[in-house]
Amino acid sequence: MGNDTRPPTLKDVASPAGVSVISASRVMRGAPNISNGLREKVETAAQMIGYRRNRIAGSLRGQTTDLITVIVPSMSNHVFPNIVDGIDDALQGSQLRLVLGMTKYKDSSEEDILRDMLTWNPAGVILSGLEHSDSTKEMLSNFSGPIVEVMDTDGDAIDMAVGNSMAEAGVLIARHLVAKGYRRIAYVGAWGERPKRSVKRRVAFEIELERLNTPLVTSVIHEGESSLQHGAQAFKRLLDYDLKIDAVFFANDDLALGALFYCQANNIRVPQDIALAGFNGIELCQSITPRLTTISTPRYEIGWLAGDLIRKQIAGESNSKQQMFRLDLELIEGSTT
Amino acid sequence: MGNDTRPPTLKDVASPAGVSVISASRVMRGAPNISNGLREKVETAAQMIGYRRNRIAGSLRGQTTDLITVIVPSMSNHVFPNIVDGIDDALQGSQLRLVLGMTKYKDSSEEDILRDMLTWNPAGVILSGLEHSDSTKEMLSNFSGPIVEVMDTDGDAIDMAVGNSMAEAGVLIARHLVAKGYRRIAYVGAWGERPKRSVKRRVAFEIELERLNTPLVTSVIHEGESSLQHGAQAFKRLLDYDLKIDAVFFANDDLALGALFYCQANNIRVPQDIALAGFNGIELCQSITPRLTTISTPRYEIGWLAGDLIRKQIAGESNSKQQMFRLDLELIEGSTT
DNA sequence: ATGTTGATTGGTAACGTTGTCAATAATATT
DNA sequence: AATATTATTGACAACGTTACCAATCAACAT
């Protein structure tokens, strides 16, 4: 691949087109007030010599890029892929591009990734959750573009936030389980309860159970990743405690489904012997028999709205600074409770 | 000293540190041959005034960025999130950042996304599949950095390719089904068989069946997305044809699992009444009862290797140009065949 | 006829960094 | 001790674009 020659620049377009460099620039980036004649001349010349914009140069001069920083824990789960899909869809039609970083559930990486990301002068930032290190908060407070924190709305947003109330989710499930007559209720989490929003959900769950005179019997927090297998493992551990648990709320559907499959494989009747409830409402919950009771979170919508807010903010179409968007949660009652 | 509206530059670091701008630059980007004294002076000053590198400016001068373009169909599936996770892990420790674009299964978008991505002067490009439009191929042939095509290895790579042989997968399943005694075999696909690698798999499957004197009875290609529900729908459509099918190979696990759940809900015995096989080997296949027969693809490893090749190539650590990395497939025999 | 306004085009000077070349100081080699 | 390397620092000039300001011209109002 010939890197001997340098790619054509605006000067190379302007010269054969017989126009100034700045005019060529305006045509190439679709600036207003350009006559058809000029546009045509420039476009023809650009086509001819195979000109391609250099956004790096433009970004340097313009002091801002069309890059959007997105930092998520990981992609290997059923939440963030949908979020990212939503963001991307909302960014369609704009010039904005998504630059992705992953913390792999290591809280401290968020700061490092953000620090590096900011060296690219992004136009906007999307993070997950409302909890961040002090350095992260400081970097963001000095950041001039729009910032959206996704997933969680229980707390203070740096700029904008889109997500669900984790507390509401905990309360919804607590009431549901108690209403259904379960009295010895347990909780199962994973990832050592990182990120922190899972803690908010569990705590609200516990408090509501307490309020309903049905205190949480115990909780099992798996240190490792969240998966079907680990859900089954943690569930088995829970059963081994022999606490006559009659219902379990899991931090997510994967854990709950792992437990459900474990029950099916071990002739434990669900919900007669034990009831199971998950969180997120992934497609699988509705497709299996019995359908898993869960809380459906609008993941794609969260991503879409986050992307749309960023896009509008950058385009100057709206000003939603300092706003929090709390989307609806829905209890999906399956046959496991 | 100057403008407090603009972020500090190297000049603002160099001045209080009492060194030249270029020396400050060298320290900030970790160039070799810097004395400890200089490094310390610069780092102190940088810390003091809160200097942050401007990669845009550096990229303009250096003619290359540390951005890696990654174009995938979508994130809402069980394949590409793992790939992207793998890429990201392989890029850890380097300065490289992943810029993500999604075609949403519209083949023609790849070209548009790539065109836009190239305006950012990426250091490398990762695409999925080996099939691309002529324009895409031309843009890539003029691109000077490393290019990795992931997923598919049946064809010619532009530069490097990492993935599996789709044909091998088709053959493996064909042999397995025939060996198990199935004789009236069907195929179910989705997304209108975009991307094209699914066609390669199906065709190899058909040819091998033919060779084994058990020609494919029929295939159903769903036009829309791949999901559990659509798998069930397409499967139901297949059953409605009343062709006495005794085994079905699905384009992926989601479709197959959808069919399996449909069978479970409708008292169709698997594999006695009909055998089902999927493709990809997602975790769920092993967790349910009966375990789904499938072919496991090393998705994370494909992503990791792709990222690692890009990283090494850019660091000049290796030269794997024009190489194809065909990873192993494994038939996971469950209880559905 | 005389401004006035807006549309259209151009010139100049950054944007903040680093490649290249050059100079000097420190160390190794003969 | 003289010379050859190597390590360390600096000066200058790009990199390719666009913000800003200025100029021209046509259309329109007074």
Side-chain angles (χ1 to χ4, degrees):
Chain A
M1 339 245 144
N3 41 1
D4 25 288
T5 47
R6 250 210 269 278
T9 70
L10 278 177
K11 206 189 280 185
D12 303 325
V13 174
S15 166
V19 303
S20 70
V21 172
I22 181 69
S23 290
S25 167
R26 287 199 261 256
V27 172
M28 293 321 292
R29 71 189 132 110
N33 299 334
I34 301 290
S35 71
N36 288 333
L38 183 73
R39 165 165 295 114
E40 216 164 289
K41 278 189 287 185
V42 172
E43 276 172 354
T44 309
Q47 188 83 37
M48 189 92 71
I49 65 171
Y51 171 75
R52 184 177 299 135
R53 290 177 72 185
N54 182 332
R55 310 293 291 288
I56 296 294
S59 302
L60 175 58
R61 185 60 181 93
Q63 297 281 79
T64 179
T65 64
D66 282 336
L67 301 175
I68 303 297
T69 289
V70 177
I71 304 179
V72 299
S74 156
M75 278 295 153
S76 294
N77 57 63
H78 288 116
V79 175
F80 289 99
N82 293 335
I83 299 263
V84 171
D85 248 14
I87 297 173
D88 185 74
D89 279 351
L91 262 35
Q92 292 292 339
S94 73
Q95 298 265 16
L96 302 168
R97 283 277 157 231
L98 200 154
V99 188
L100 195 64
M102 292 169 233
T103 65
K104 305 291 156 110
Y105 296 96
K106 198 177 147 210
D107 283 341
S108 65
S109 324
E110 184 182 63
E111 182 180 321
D112 298 332
I113 295 174
L114 180 66
R115 198 188 318 284
D116 183 71
M117 287 281 198
L118 290 180
T119 66
W120 292 102
N121 277 359
V125 173
I126 299 178
L127 303 171
S128 57
L130 296 171
E131 280 74 36
H132 313 285
S133 74
D134 287 344
S135 297
T136 302
K137 283 184 196 158
E138 208 213 310
M139 286 189 268
L140 291 173
S141 73
N142 291 325
F143 179 71
S144 56
I147 302 163
V148 180
E149 292 162 280
V150 293
M151 300 308 291
D152 182 5
T153 59
D154 297 331
D156 293 322
I158 297 174
D159 181 7
M160 295 172 282
V162 182
N164 300 114
S165 164
M166 294 294 123
E168 185 188 344
V171 169
L172 271 176
I173 285 284
R175 291 187 187 159
H176 172 73
L177 293 179
V178 173
K180 281 283 184 167
Y182 301 106
R183 290 295 174 267
R184 296 195 53 81
I185 301 174
Y187 176 87
V188 171
W191 284 120
E193 298 207 299
R194 292 180 311 277
K196 275 288 159 283
R197 56 186 166 277
S198 60
V199 175
K200 297 182 192 171
R201 203 185 313 128
R202 172 177 58 73
V203 168
F205 178 62
E206 287 188 36
I207 292 175
E208 184 66 9
L209 285 180
E210 198 93 40
R211 204 183 65 77
L212 297 169
N213 298 313
T214 319
L216 185 75
V217 177
T218 189
S219 56
V220 174
I221 309 298
H222 172 65
E223 260 310 308
E225 63 173 330
S226 192
S227 68
L228 296 167
Q229 272 201 17
H230 289 114
Q233 273 174 28
F235 180 69
K236 187 168 177 303
R237 187 140 43 103
L238 177 66
L239 293 186
D240 287 344
Y241 294 159
D242 209 12
L243 295 166
K244 299 189 201 314
I245 299 299
D246 60 7
V248 187
F249 177 35
F250 294 81
N252 60 56
D253 292 334
D254 292 270
L255 296 173
L257 289 164
L260 175 57
F261 296 140
Y262 176 84
C263 291
Q264 292 181 332
N266 290 278
N267 295 316
I268 301 171
R269 292 169 309 158
V270 178
Q272 295 89 338
D273 298 334
I274 195 159
L276 307 174
F279 179 74
N280 272 332
I282 64 175
E283 196 200 1
L284 185 51
C285 301
Q286 301 298 304
S287 297
I288 50 164
T289 313
R291 287 176 298 114
L292 180 73
T293 292
T294 186
I295 288 187
S296 137
T297 56
R299 302 177 296 284
Y300 176 88
E301 288 74 15
I302 290 175
W304 192 89
L305 184 51
D308 198 52
L309 285 168
I310 290 272
R311 188 184 57 72
K312 281 191 180 140
Q313 204 77 214
I314 291 170
E317 283 175 27
S318 87
N319 195 327
S320 320
K321 289 257 160 205
Q322 308 290 355
Q323 253 194 281
M324 185 159 270
F325 299 83
R326 177 170 294 175
L327 305 190
D328 287 340
L329 288 172
E330 194 189 350
L331 178 78
I332 310 274
E333 191 173 339
S335 316
T336 58
T337 53
Chain B
M1 18 199 86
N3 264 328
D4 27 23
T5 55
R6 251 208 269 282
T9 70
L10 279 176
K11 206 189 280 185
D12 303 325
V13 174
S15 166
V19 303
S20 69
V21 171
I22 182 67
S23 289
S25 166
R26 291 198 181 105
V27 172
M28 293 321 292
R29 69 189 133 109
N33 298 334
I34 302 289
S35 71
N36 288 333
L38 182 74
R39 164 167 294 114
E40 216 163 290
K41 277 188 286 183
V42 173
E43 276 171 354
T44 309
Q47 188 84 35
M48 189 92 71
I49 65 171
Y51 171 75
R52 184 177 299 133
R53 290 176 73 183
N54 182 330
R55 312 291 292 286
I56 296 292
S59 301
L60 175 58
R61 185 60 180 93
Q63 299 280 80
T64 181
T65 64
D66 282 335
L67 301 174
I68 303 298
T69 290
V70 177
I71 305 178
V72 300
S74 157
M75 279 295 154
S76 294
N77 58 62
H78 291 282
V79 175
F80 288 100
N82 293 335
I83 299 263
V84 170
D85 250 14
I87 296 173
D88 185 74
D89 279 350
L91 262 35
Q92 294 290 342
S94 73
Q95 298 266 17
L96 302 168
R97 283 277 158 231
L98 200 153
V99 188
L100 195 63
M102 291 168 233
T103 65
K104 304 290 155 116
Y105 296 97
K106 198 177 145 209
D107 283 340
S108 65
S109 326
E110 183 180 66
E111 182 180 321
D112 298 332
I113 295 173
L114 181 65
R115 200 189 319 283
D116 183 71
M117 288 282 199
L118 290 180
T119 67
W120 292 102
N121 277 357
V125 173
I126 299 178
L127 304 170
S128 59
L130 296 171
E131 280 74 36
H132 314 285
S133 74
D134 288 344
S135 297
T136 302
K137 284 184 198 159
E138 208 213 309
M139 287 188 270
L140 291 173
S141 74
N142 291 326
F143 179 70
S144 57
I147 303 162
V148 180
E149 292 161 281
V150 292
M151 300 308 290
D152 181 6
T153 58
D154 297 331
D156 294 321
I158 296 173
D159 182 5
M160 295 172 282
V162 182
N164 300 116
S165 165
M166 295 294 124
E168 184 187 344
V171 169
L172 272 176
I173 286 285
R175 289 187 188 160
H176 172 73
L177 293 179
V178 172
K180 281 282 183 168
Y182 300 106
R183 291 295 175 267
R184 295 194 55 81
I185 301 173
Y187 175 88
V188 170
W191 285 118
E193 298 208 298
R194 295 178 310 279
K196 274 286 160 283
R197 56 185 167 277
S198 60
V199 176
K200 297 183 193 172
R201 203 185 314 127
R202 172 178 57 74
V203 168
F205 178 63
E206 286 188 37
I207 291 175
E208 184 67 8
L209 286 180
E210 198 93 41
R211 204 182 65 77
L212 297 169
N213 297 313
T214 318
L216 186 75
V217 177
T218 189
S219 55
V220 173
I221 308 299
H222 173 65
E223 260 311 306
E225 63 173 329
S226 194
S227 67
L228 296 167
Q229 272 201 16
H230 288 114
Q233 273 174 27
F235 179 70
K236 188 168 176 303
R237 187 139 44 101
L238 178 65
L239 294 186
D240 286 345
Y241 294 159
D242 209 12
L243 293 166
K244 301 189 198 316
I245 299 300
D246 59 8
V248 186
F249 177 37
F250 294 82
N252 59 56
D253 293 333
D254 291 87
L255 295 173
L257 290 163
L260 176 57
F261 297 139
Y262 176 83
C263 290
Q264 292 180 332
N266 291 275
N267 295 313
I268 300 171
R269 294 170 307 160
V270 177
Q272 294 88 340
D273 296 334
I274 195 160
L276 307 174
F279 179 75
N280 272 331
I282 65 175
E283 194 200 2
L284 184 51
C285 300
Q286 301 298 304
S287 297
I288 50 163
T289 313
R291 286 175 299 114
L292 181 72
T293 293
T294 186
I295 288 187
S296 136
T297 55
R299 301 177 297 284
Y300 176 88
E301 287 73 16
I302 290 175
W304 191 89
L305 184 51
D308 198 53
L309 285 168
I310 291 272
R311 188 186 55 71
K312 281 191 182 142
Q313 203 77 216
I314 290 169
E317 283 175 26
S318 87
N319 194 325
S320 320
K321 288 261 161 201
Q322 309 290 354
Q323 251 193 281
M324 184 160 270
F325 298 83
R326 176 171 293 175
L327 305 190
D328 286 340
L329 288 172
E330 194 188 351
L331 178 77
I332 310 274
E333 192 172 341
S335 315
T336 58
T337 54

